[in-house]
Amino acid sequence: MKMGVCFRGALVLILAMAFSIGGDAQSSTTLVPAIITFGDSAVDVGNNDYIPTIFRANYPPYGRDFITKKPTGRFCNGKLATDITADTLGFTTYPPAYLSPQASGKNLLIGTNFASAASGYDDRTAALNLQYYKEYQAKLAKVAGNQKAASILKDGLYIMSFGSSDFVQNYYTNPYLNTVYTPDQYSSFLVGIFSNFVKNLYGLGARRIGVTSLPPLGCLPAARTLFGFHERGCVSRINTDAQGFNKKINSAVSNLQKQFPELKIAVFDIFKPLYDLVLLKQAEVAVGPGRVHPSEAANQVLADALIIEGINLIG
């Protein structure tokens, strides 16, 4: 426990130094003015409580280890990796779920969260998220004024975490998709949507974007049950597909950096830290019905990896 605390303290110091060199928000108590999140259940903080869907986390065991000890709409027993990242960056409250009543007034100044469980690149989520983001921009401008709003949007940290649902809940279970597309072709299709989404975000003012890689999908208990066919351990072919997707995301990010010199973008590799966690069996990787969502212990490992790889985004 003490080693973990010291490690996160060191991260805060490193980040503070990096940000002070960047220089334009030293008076702030947070290292970035806002965190704006897009994604699926791994980063959903409650949006699904406000839409008609069977994918909800408003009942136990979700939330049992959260600050409130109650379900909050997070698909986790406690904090998400993005919550822990917000803690490390100096936030004392978390950006609200965009569809919740809390997403109004001054609460919008620290960002918002558009993530929704079971969403992905391949279900029109990207288009809907851009629509919501434009609405958020207009609301933020009313609260902060045009100039301050533009500054918040430019200097804010954007996090994207899609892809898992595209494969586990769509590609592998949809006979049409897995007949028409090979995993490699489907990955290319998804990465094309990702690239266009980033370009649109950039056009709307975003400059600091972090995107998570796919985790080791073949190690998820649900994937092992549904697709393992009694294979011992993780489902290797599914992990291979995830790694193939991750290579394409890294290549796309390199191309985006070349196209947009002002864009700071990084891939957060969550495959390796989660895979190592599974191999070492140091923490329960999944929690809750379906067994596809990281526990807070796993999210702590992910958050540490995200902060290390994301230093250049906020410098």
Side-chain angles (χ1 to χ4, degrees):
M1 176 64 72
K2 289 184 179 179
M3 288 181 64
V5 172
C6 290
F7 178 61
R8 287 191 290 281
L11 285 176
V12 172
L13 179 59
I14 292 171
L15 288 166
M17 292 172 64
F19 193 75
S20 64
I21 293 172
D24 58 358
Q26 295 179 44
S27 60
S28 175
T29 57
T30 59
L31 299 183
V32 292
I35 299 176
I36 299 165
T37 305
F38 303 90
D40 53 27
S41 59
V43 290
D44 184 355
V45 296
N47 280 308
N48 273 33
D49 286 351
Y50 302 93
I51 60 176
T53 177
I54 62 172
F55 299 104
R56 293 194 176 185
N58 56 356
Y59 55 91
Y62 298 121
R64 69 189 179 201
D65 300 314
F66 196 69
I67 305 165
T68 60
K69 305 298 181 183
K70 297 179 181 178
T72 62
R74 289 166 169 80
F75 288 78
C76 182
N77 62 304
K79 293 181 180 180
L80 304 178
T82 45
D83 294 328
I84 299 169
T85 298
D87 291 340
T88 304
L89 295 177
F91 287 78
T92 55
T93 57
Y94 303 128
Y98 183 69
L99 299 180
S100 72
Q102 289 72 40
S104 62
K106 292 185 178 180
N107 290 342
L108 297 175
L109 296 174
I110 62 169
T112 191
N113 185 305
F114 300 99
S116 175
S119 63
Y121 291 114
D122 183 20
D123 66 350
R124 301 182 182 175
T125 298
L128 181 61
N129 276 194
L130 284 174
Q131 177 185 327
Y132 283 150
Y133 179 65
K134 291 176 183 178
E135 291 178 3
Y136 168 70
Q137 285 186 312
K139 292 177 182 178
L140 183 64
K142 288 183 179 179
V143 175
N146 291 333
Q147 186 173 355
K148 184 177 179 181
S151 177
I152 290 171
L153 296 172
K154 179 183 177 183
D155 295 331
L157 175 62
Y158 293 74
I159 298 175
M160 294 176 59
S161 180
F162 288 113
S164 295
S165 295
D166 288 303
F167 280 95
V168 177
Q169 294 170 274
N170 195 12
Y171 179 77
Y172 295 126
T173 59
N174 187 327
Y176 172 78
L177 282 179
N178 55 53
T179 299
V180 174
Y181 295 101
T182 66
D184 183 70
Q185 290 171 333
Y186 190 61
S187 291
S188 295
F189 170 68
L190 296 179
V191 171
I193 297 174
F194 158 77
S195 294
N196 287 331
F197 187 78
V198 170
K199 290 176 183 177
N200 283 319
L201 272 184
Y202 182 87
L204 292 168
R207 291 296 182 270
R208 302 174 178 183
I209 302 174
V211 56
T212 62
S213 69
L214 282 183
L217 297 175
C219 297
L220 295 176
R224 291 168 63 181
T225 300
L226 293 172
F227 313 113
F229 304 109
H230 307 294
E231 180 178 349
R232 228 180 134 183
C234 302
V235 185
S236 56
R237 67 179 178 87
I238 293 181
N239 278 351
T240 298
D241 292 345
Q243 289 174 307
F245 174 89
N246 291 344
K247 288 180 181 178
K248 291 180 184 292
I249 279 285
N250 276 286
S251 178
V253 163
S254 295
N255 290 332
L256 287 165
Q257 285 180 318
K258 293 175 184 176
Q259 291 180 54
F260 306 102
E262 292 184 10
L263 175 65
K264 292 185 177 182
I265 185 168
V267 177
F268 300 144
D269 173 25
I270 64 172
F271 186 100
K272 187 178 188 305
L274 269 183
Y275 188 69
D276 290 345
L277 198 62
V278 171
L279 293 182
L280 295 173
K281 297 181 180 179
Q282 287 186 343
E284 184 182 12
V285 176
V287 67
R291 312 285 296 171
V292 298
H293 307 111
S295 64
E296 182 176 314
N299 281 330
Q300 180 64 67
V301 175
L302 295 182
D304 290 343
L306 263 59
I307 289 294
I308 292 173
E309 295 178 22
I311 286 177
N312 291 335
L313 292 181
I314 64 173

